[in-house]
Structure formats: structure tokens, C-alpha cells
Amino acid sequence: MGGKLEEEALPRAASAASDGKAPRTARGERTLRKILDAAREEFGERGFAESSIVGITQRAGVALGTFYTYFDSKEALFQALVRDMSAQVRDTVGPVLGHAADALDGERLALEAFLRFAHEHRDIYRIIDESEFVEPSVYREHYETTATRIAARLKFAREKGEIDVSYNDKDLDVLAWAMMGANVFLGLRFAVWDDADEVHVANAMSRVWRRGFNQ
Amino acid sequence: MGGKLEEEALPRAASAASDGKAPRTARGERTLRKILDAAREEFGERGFAESSIVGITQRAGVALGTFYTYFDSKEALFQALVRDMSAQVRDTVGPVLGHAADALDGERLALEAFLRFAHEHRDIYRIIDESEFVEPSVYREHYETTATRIAARLKFAREKGEIDVSYNDKDLDVLAWAMMGANVFLGLRFAVWDDADEVHVANAMSRVWRRGFNQ
DNA sequence: GTGAAAGTTGAACCGTGTTTCAACTTGCGA
DNA sequence: TCGCAAGTTGAAACACGGTTCAACTTTCAC
């Protein structure tokens, strides 16, 4: 399959629509995109409850009824957005792992990247967080996937001798959730609420994990 | 002041009412208490948006209008509840610190107590979490207070030589938020969603902190 | 160029749930 | 026992915003 880079964004937008409501022409595609962008702004600024479909369609510059051409309900739109953003977080943070000297250095870089991302996209952060109450299943999906990925990296690192073998699989499952929780709260406090130095935060954190996991 | 134990609960309930709406008789006090209890159930089970004042007053066994004798709005009630519960978490977790051999052992016991508490009171957990979107200021208040308390303990432990002196105040502020975030997510995954062994979770976590903070 | 499919429009419908209020009941102090 | 302040009641007013739909416009395949 050629042209993967350019093609990537479109199917994601297209598949964001509710079942049987995917756009069939380029015009529809554009309209759907406008609604998704407007929704991200509105939900990010005002939260789910305060956001209205009127508000979203006005921002998007389309009529109220147009919304229902692409989505079954306000909840369906929210769910589509969270899925989209969950993937965005993954695609932003994932690649930096390649540049790491070892596994724990990778986690440091990942935290740094996450903090930068959270600071630049506070709206996304808020939307994913609010999904715990709007669409619990996607929230679970997001964090379960993330934790599983971290745990897998930790286990792999243990096989390579970078993490003390006395930590068994169950321990590492627990610790993966702990690392993720730490990252999320550091993001909230130092990137979303504040504009702290990501490098300092990530370094302080990394030092503890490094000592904690070795020896 | 004598009889502190028995007196503790009442003023808290009384002050939960909106400004100028505090009950003035024993009957009023009881009614307010019924509403608060019913609200905890309703908000815990259904979340803020899905909960209704009708539902809350029905659970409480009082008429709809009675609600407005004590609260200005649904939001005001929610805020009062979060404040009440934030204090409950503190009062449950705080005391166990006294039984600890050293500071890091205290954090282990605190996590264990928190996991037990989160498991037994999932409704409370959910309500505090949801306040991020309903009443952001109380959410911030709750976590900022908690993090400050943890940071103070860490700094004190450093003075006593239980934590490596190479961690400066700024580092410990960061790490306090990390510990809190880890605790919250462990609570969500292993106490609220699942019914895991608190002791194992707390031990695995504690081992990492211990190694991480020393030398 | 034509016609059918796709997309757009916004007024009106509709359900829900918060809030008000005037009449009523309770309980306490004198 | 009396009277008034405190508390209670629930029907109705009210606001709000999600959803529907039938008429209209645009696009595109042939």
C-alpha cells in the first residue's frame, strides 16, 4: 500500500462517524472533519455537559441537522473523539522510545514527550479524562491498553537484565499502572495546570524509577 | 473541648448546607443528613449528570421542595459532598501513619489503607474523581492538599536521613505528585475495578519507592 | 446535460429535570 | 396552651437542549 502517510488521517476521520453514517463524497468528508475539530474545541473548553450540539455546529459553520448525518448522538461523537485522541497520544509518545539508550531511559523520554503533549493539547487531555464519566468503556480501553504496553516494555527490559529479576510479572503489572498514574498526575499538575520544565520533572521521576527497578 | 468523638460528625453536616441555609433545629439537622446520604448513593451510582434532585429526595424520603431549604443548587450539593468526603479520606488514611516504622513504611501503610478505603467506598472515589469536571476548584483543593501533605512527609524524612539528601525540595514536590498519582491509579485499577490483594499491591509499590528514595 | 444520490438546512417537537412558591404542618419556647 | 418560627410539601412554571424531518441544494456518474 503506497502513500501511507497521506492516507492515514482520512480513514480515521471517516471511521469516526457512527455506523452507516460514513461520508461518501469529498464534501461529506470535509464536513465531518469540521464537526470533529469543532467538537474537540467545544468539549475541551466547556466539558461534555456544558457543550451543546448547537454550539458545536455553529463553531463548525454547519446547520444543526447536519450533525445527525454523521452521528447518532452527542455521546457517539464524544466516543469517536476519545478514540481518535487516544490514538494521537500513542502516536506522539510511542516513537520517542526508539531513541532511548535503554528501557528506563525510554520511559523518561516518554514522560517528557507526554508532558509536552499534555501542555500543548490540554483540551485532549481533558476530554480523555472526562470519558471516565461519559463513556467509561473507552476510558478503560485507553488506560488498559496503555498500561499493558508499559508492562510489556518492563518485562522485556527485565529479560535484557535492565530490571531486577526479583520483580515478577504480577509486580510489573502493578508497577506499570503506578508509572502510568504518576505520569497522568504529573501531566495534570505540571503541564496542564502549570507550565513547568518537562525535562526537570522527567529527570526527577526517572531517577527514582531507575534506582527502584535496579539492584 | 470534651466529647470530641461524638461531636465531630454533626457540625460537618450542618456546615454542608449552602450559605444561610443551615438547619436550626434537630429536625432540620436530620433532614439535611438524609439528603446528604441519599446524594452520596445517587451520585456514586449514577454520576452527576444522570442523578436528579427528584431521585435524591425520593431516596431520602423527603419532598422535592425540601431540597431547596438546604441547598442553592445541585452543584452546591455536589461541592458540599466532595468536601465532606475529602475529609473522610484524610481521616481514614492519616491515622495509620502513626503505626509506621519509618516514613516510607508509612507511605506503604497509607497506600494499603487507601486501597481498602477505595474498595469499600467506590462511590466516594467516583464522586471525588468526577469533581474534576463538576467543580474543578474542589478537585484541585483536594489533590493539592493531599500532595502538599505527602511532600511535607518526604521532606521531613529526608531531614531524618531516611531519604537521600540529593533530592531537593523541588524534586520532592514532583515526586509527591507522582506517588499520589500512582496511588490513585492503583486504587482505580486494583480496588475499584478489581478486588486485588491490597497488601501485595502496596508491597510491590513500596519496594520501588524504598529503593528509589534511598542512596 | 441530466437525474438520482448525497448532503444540507433550521424550525418545531419533545422530554427531562431544575427551580419556585404559596399553602400547610410541626415543634419549641414562653 | 398558645403562637410563631422553622420546616415540609408537590404541583406547576420554566429553561434548556437533543432530536426529527420534509423541503431544498449540491455533487457526480453516466
Side-chain angles (χ1 to χ4, degrees), chain A residues 39 42-53 56 73-79 81-82 126-127 130-131 133-135, chain B residues 49-50 133:
Chain A
E42 178 100 350
F43 284 137
E45 282 173 22
R46 306 164 64 94
F48 183 80
E50 295 291 303
S51 294
S52 70
I53 297 178
I56 291 167
S73 66
K74 193 180 167 188
E75 279 77 12
L77 165 61
F78 192 84
Q79 177 167 336
L81 259 190
V82 176
R126 181 182 180 163
I127 291 168
E130 190 166 11
S131 73
F133 306 99
V134 180
E135 292 285 331
Chain B
E50 296 291 303
F133 306 100

Side-chain angles (χ1 to χ4, degrees), chain A residues 9-210:
Chain A
L10 287 181
R12 182 179 288 165
S15 68
S18 292
D19 283 350
K21 301 210 165 181
R24 291 158 199 226
T25 67
R27 177 163 68 135
E29 201 94 49
R30 282 196 305 273
T31 303
L32 173 54
R33 187 73 263 164
K34 283 194 285 184
I35 292 174
L36 285 169
D37 289 346
R40 201 190 53 230
E41 283 179 30
E42 178 100 350
F43 284 137
E45 282 173 22
R46 306 164 64 94
F48 183 80
E50 295 291 303
S51 294
S52 70
I53 297 178
V54 191
I56 291 167
T57 50
Q58 268 172 4
R59 259 182 222 252
V62 302
L64 184 50
T66 302
F67 174 83
Y68 292 92
T69 309
Y70 300 104
F71 296 98
D72 288 333
S73 66
K74 193 180 167 188
E75 279 77 12
L77 165 61
F78 192 84
Q79 177 167 336
L81 259 190
V82 176
R83 288 236 164 80
D84 194 65
M85 289 166 177
S86 172
Q88 251 180 277
V89 177
R90 192 190 57 224
D91 294 350
T92 306
V93 175
V96 309
L97 293 169
H99 306 145
D102 62 19
L104 289 174
D105 191 49
E107 298 306 322
R108 179 181 61 78
L109 290 172
L111 171 54
E112 219 180 283
F114 175 71
L115 292 173
R116 238 190 297 274
F117 182 85
H119 185 67
E120 277 160 24
H121 305 278
R122 312 190 203 178
D123 50 351
I124 294 187
Y125 186 99
R126 181 182 180 163
I127 291 168
I128 290 182
D129 249 36
E130 190 166 11
S131 73
E132 180 175 359
F133 306 99
V134 180
E135 292 285 331
S137 60
V138 271
Y139 178 83
R140 256 182 107 127
E141 186 182 300
H142 171 70
Y143 281 118
E144 223 131 50
T145 307
T146 307
T148 304
R149 211 174 291 127
I150 297 175
R153 296 201 294 259
L154 294 179
K155 288 168 193 173
F156 187 61
R158 186 187 50 195
E159 306 322 317
K160 289 204 294 179
E162 295 171 19
I163 282 179
D164 190 356
V165 291
S166 73
Y167 289 109
N168 64 30
D169 280 9
K170 245 176 108 188
D171 294 333
L172 294 183
D173 287 335
V174 168
L175 295 173
W177 273 85
M179 288 182 82
M180 182 170 70
N183 290 354
V184 169
F185 269 63
L186 292 175
L188 181 65
R189 172 63 183 76
F190 297 102
V192 176
W193 290 352
D194 198 350
D195 178 19
D197 175 22
E198 312 90 48
V199 178
H200 170 257
V201 173
N203 283 347
M205 190 69 250
S206 185
R207 186 136 68 108
V208 175
W209 293 135
R210 194 154 231 118

